[in-house]
């Protein structure tokens, strides 16, 4: 996970106050070993894990010591997972396979890309944009990432700057020495995708604003553009994230704050998002549950997954998202299992939904409309963004204001959504706690380092 430490600390439910929970599943690439008739068929867990990565398993590139110990407890004697496991990260600067390989190396266990959800993974379902000309912002192998997600006509910020070099004027050393007309003429840019924080913020901010204010023709002068502007889809709303430094670092959410305020300062209007994905969006947790159910089906387990345990280090991302999804599951349960539920891609202003037409475009679309889990429990660890030693304000109610809410502008602040179900020291303690809550004994098959 990746986000910022709020200035408030609300009353938290400690580990001893837990309720038994549950979850289903397993992943085909990781669990193709023992079948349901084996010894472990009697141990089918009704629960599964959703692990954040940054601040829970690693700090930057440095593994957190408790992580490897925790994951040895999740393996049987054949080094297969005993419980469904999905990694849900707001990182978005690489392909899922690369992240899976990194996790396999760090944790010492076999991880499949089908167990990994990057911040951008749900973009697979937005097929109505896959054939449009799209501007992409971020870093890493953006073209490869976008193509794997199904996009075909892509323009990077660097390519846009190359075609229109006069647009990027902040850095005097990069200003063009000679003036030349554009070598090629770009088609209209019909959408913008913000994958993550870029390297050169001033360049990205300038060129994205140019595209917005010219309705997709950045070589033209600003005009009275129609409002709302062309669609903007953003992945990863984390204001800050935890690396090796002693304090959290700026994340993509900080870049988005800059973009939103520049746009409003120039136009007097709010920047609007077609979709906000990545944690804490419910859409991301739907996708995670889908992967959990896929793992269960591959393992031929018959018992349904009832509970998801989301383990993270960030109140405003991991805990907020898990609790938001838990609220959705409770509402879904009240409506009845046959109700078709449209999944919000964002909460609050500028929210969007996944239409029935979109759902039929994706192989897991129908699954999104029929969540089978009954609860999603949040577990906060103290190895990342969250700092249990931060001074607590004397008047908590007064501190609950917009200035201390580090979540995205379009997500409403609700104190109940940033209150974790459980607080533990690290991920190893989290695994122990969940096994205890579920009365799950891994048959003595788990290993110790």
């Amino acid at each position: 996970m990746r986000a910022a430490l709020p200035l408030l600390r609300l009353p938290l439910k400690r580990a001893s106050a837990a309720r038994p929970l549950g979850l289903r599943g397993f992943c085909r690439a990781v669990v193709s070993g023992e079948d349901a008739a084996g010894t472990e068929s009697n141990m089918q867990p009704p629960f599964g894990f959703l692990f954040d990565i940054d601040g829970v398993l690693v700090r930057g590139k440095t593994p957190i010591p408790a992580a490897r110990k925790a994951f040895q407890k999740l393996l049987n004697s054949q080094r297969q997972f005993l419980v469904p496991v999905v990694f849900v990260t707001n990182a978005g600067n690489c392909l899922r396979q690369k992240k899976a390989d990194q996790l396999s190396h760090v944790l010492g266990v076999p991880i499949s890309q089908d167990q990994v959800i990057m911040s951008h993974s749900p973009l697979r379902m937005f097929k109505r944009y896959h054939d449009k000309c799209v501007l992409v912002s971020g870093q890493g192998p953006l073209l490869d990432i976008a193509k794997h997600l199904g996009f075909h006509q892509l323009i990077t910020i660097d390519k846009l700057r190359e075609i229109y070099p006069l647009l990027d004027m902040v850095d005097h050393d990069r200003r063009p020495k000679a003036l030349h007309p554009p070598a090629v003429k770009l088609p209209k840019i019909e959408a913008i995708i913000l994958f993550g924080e870029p390297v050169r913020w001033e360049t990205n901010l300038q060129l994205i604003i140019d595209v917005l204010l010219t309705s997709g023709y950045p070589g033209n002068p600003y005009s009275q553009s129609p409002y709302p502007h062309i669609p903007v889809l953003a992945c990863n709303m984390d204001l800050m994230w935890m690396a090796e430094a002693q304090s959290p670092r700026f994340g993509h959410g900080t870049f988005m704050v800059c973009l939103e305020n520049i746009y409003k300062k120039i136009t007097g209007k709010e920047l609007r998002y077609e979709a906000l994905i990545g944690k804490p969006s419910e859409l991301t947790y739907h996708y995670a549950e889908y992967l959990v159910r896929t793992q269960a089906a591959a393992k031929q387990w018959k018992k349904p997954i009832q509970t998801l345990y989301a383990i993270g280090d960030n109140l405003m991302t991991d805990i907020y998202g898990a609790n938001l999804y838990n609220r959705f599951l409770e509402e879904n349960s009240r409506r009845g299992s046959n109700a078709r539920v449209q999944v919000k891609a964002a909460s609050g202003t500028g929210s969007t939904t996944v239409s029935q037409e979109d759902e039929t475009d994706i192989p897991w679309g129908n699954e999104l409309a029929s969540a089978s889990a009954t609860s999603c429990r949040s577990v906060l660890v103290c190895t990342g963004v969250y700092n249990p030693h931060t001074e607590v304000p004397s008047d908590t109610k007064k501190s609950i204001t917009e200035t201390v809410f580090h979540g995205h502008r379009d997500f409403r602040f609700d104190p109940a959504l940033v209150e974790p179900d459980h607080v533990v020291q690290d991920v190893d303690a989290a695994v122990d706690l969940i096994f205890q809550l579920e009365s799950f004994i891994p048959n003595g098959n788990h290993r110790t380092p």
Side-chain angles (χ1 to χ4, degrees):
M1 170 228 75
R2 309 172 44 176
L5 175 66
L7 301 179
L8 69 155
R9 282 176 51 216
L10 301 171
L12 304 177
K13 302 172 188 174
R14 310 306 293 193
S16 59
R19 302 181 288 279
L21 308 168
L23 213 154
R24 192 192 277 158
F26 231 133
C27 194
R28 192 172 277 106
V30 180
V31 297
S32 55
E34 291 178 291
D35 59 28
T39 341
E40 310 212 358
S41 62
N42 298 323
M43 297 175 49
Q44 295 181 22
F47 67 98
F49 291 92
L50 306 181
F51 287 101
D52 176 40
I53 298 176
D54 292 296
V56 174
L57 307 178
V58 298
R59 293 273 296 265
K61 295 182 179 180
T62 305
I64 291 173
R68 186 171 284 238
K69 184 179 178 183
F71 271 79
Q72 294 302 322
K73 296 175 181 178
L74 298 175
L75 300 178
N76 64 16
S77 56
Q78 283 73 47
R79 296 187 62 75
Q80 299 167 332
F81 280 105
L82 294 164
V83 179
V85 168
V86 174
F87 301 89
V88 187
T89 176
N90 268 356
N93 60 347
C94 68
L95 297 168
R96 288 194 302 160
Q97 184 60 61
K98 181 175 180 179
K99 182 61 68 175
D101 293 342
Q102 292 171 348
L103 289 169
S104 297
H105 175 72
V106 167
L107 300 174
V109 299
I111 305 297
S112 160
Q113 69 169 351
D114 295 322
Q115 292 177 281
V116 176
I117 297 178
M118 309 294 289
S119 63
H120 48 64
S121 294
L123 283 175
R124 295 172 182 273
M125 70 186 305
F126 290 87
K127 288 202 168 186
R128 63 184 178 274
Y129 294 107
H130 287 181
D131 292 323
K132 295 182 183 296
C133 182
V134 173
L135 176 69
V136 292
S137 169
Q139 56 182 292
L142 287 180
L143 295 180
D144 290 340
I145 292 170
K147 287 175 182 176
H148 274 77
L149 292 169
F151 295 91
H152 303 297
Q153 296 189 63
L154 300 163
I155 298 175
T156 64
I157 293 290
D158 286 343
K159 184 64 177 179
L160 184 58
R161 181 184 176 277
E162 177 186 324
I163 296 172
Y164 298 109
L166 294 179
L167 298 182
D168 185 19
M169 301 296 285
V170 173
D171 186 342
H172 289 229
D173 292 335
R174 297 213 308 169
R175 290 181 179 180
K177 302 297 186 288
L179 303 181
H180 300 287
V184 297
K185 186 175 182 179
L186 287 178
K188 177 183 179 180
I189 296 173
E190 298 181 81
I192 300 170
I193 299 179
L194 308 177
F195 277 101
E197 62 270 21
V199 175
R200 299 188 67 97
W201 287 31
E202 79 283 0
T203 296
N204 287 59
L205 289 169
Q206 176 70 77
L207 271 60
I208 291 169
I209 290 292
D210 288 334
V211 171
L212 291 172
L213 297 185
T214 60
S215 296
Y217 295 103
N220 292 350
Y222 291 173
S223 60
Q224 291 295 324
S225 303
Y227 186 81
H229 47 71
I230 65 173
V232 179
L233 297 85
C235 316
N236 177 6
M237 295 156 273
D238 290 351
L239 188 74
M240 303 177 79
W241 66 292
M242 203 69 182
E244 289 93 343
Q246 295 300 307
S247 302
R249 303 292 86 199
F250 290 164
H252 189 220
T254 307
F255 176 82
M256 291 168 64
V257 168
C258 296
L259 180 64
E260 292 157 10
N261 282 279
I262 293 170
Y263 182 85
K264 186 172 184 178
K265 191 71 173 178
I266 293 174
T267 67
K269 300 174 182 177
E270 295 284 352
L271 181 72
R272 297 180 60 177
Y273 294 96
E274 180 73 7
L276 292 169
I277 61 176
K279 296 179 292 186
S281 167
E282 293 154 289
L283 188 57
T284 293
Y285 288 85
H286 265 278
Y287 193 12
E289 187 190 345
Y290 166 73
L291 293 185
V292 164
R293 291 200 305 271
T294 300
Q295 293 179 35
K299 192 71 170 176
Q300 298 181 6
W301 287 347
K302 304 302 180 184
K303 295 180 182 178
I305 297 299
Q306 296 175 321
T307 307
L308 305 169
Y309 287 95
I311 302 170
D313 69 308
N314 191 309
L315 288 173
M316 295 301 172
T317 302
D318 303 308
I319 304 307
Y320 187 110
N323 291 341
L324 188 65
Y325 190 56
N326 184 66
R327 185 174 289 180
F328 167 83
L329 292 174
E330 290 175 347
E331 293 174 357
N332 192 32
S333 177
R334 285 194 294 270
R335 289 172 181 153
S337 58
N338 294 325
R340 287 190 63 83
V341 181
Q342 288 189 323
V343 185
K344 291 182 180 179
S347 295
T349 59
S351 66
T352 60
T353 59
V354 179
S355 69
Q356 188 167 342
E357 179 183 355
D358 291 324
E359 289 175 335
T360 59
D361 282 342
I362 54 175
W364 43 276
N366 291 332
E367 299 288 343
L368 289 179
S370 56
S372 60
T374 57
S375 61
C376 181
R377 300 303 180 192
S378 54
V379 182
L380 180 68
V381 299
C382 304
T383 51
V385 170
Y386 175 70
N387 181 358
H389 305 297
T390 301
E391 183 179 352
V392 182
S394 56
D395 189 339
T396 307
K397 289 184 179 180
K398 286 185 179 179
S399 69
I400 303 175
T401 66
E402 192 67 24
T403 58
V404 298
F405 178 49
H406 289 181
H408 187 266
R409 175 200 70 186
D410 291 353
F411 283 76
R412 302 183 190 92
F413 178 56
D414 181 342
L417 292 177
V418 294
E419 182 179 351
D421 288 295
H422 312 287
V423 182
V424 294
Q425 182 58 40
D426 54 37
V427 66
D428 185 45
V431 169
D432 287 343
L433 169 66
I434 293 164
F435 280 178
Q436 180 183 1
L437 292 171
E438 294 289 337
S439 300
F440 183 77
I441 303 173
N443 218 23
N445 285 332
H446 67 266
R447 301 167 178 233
T448 53

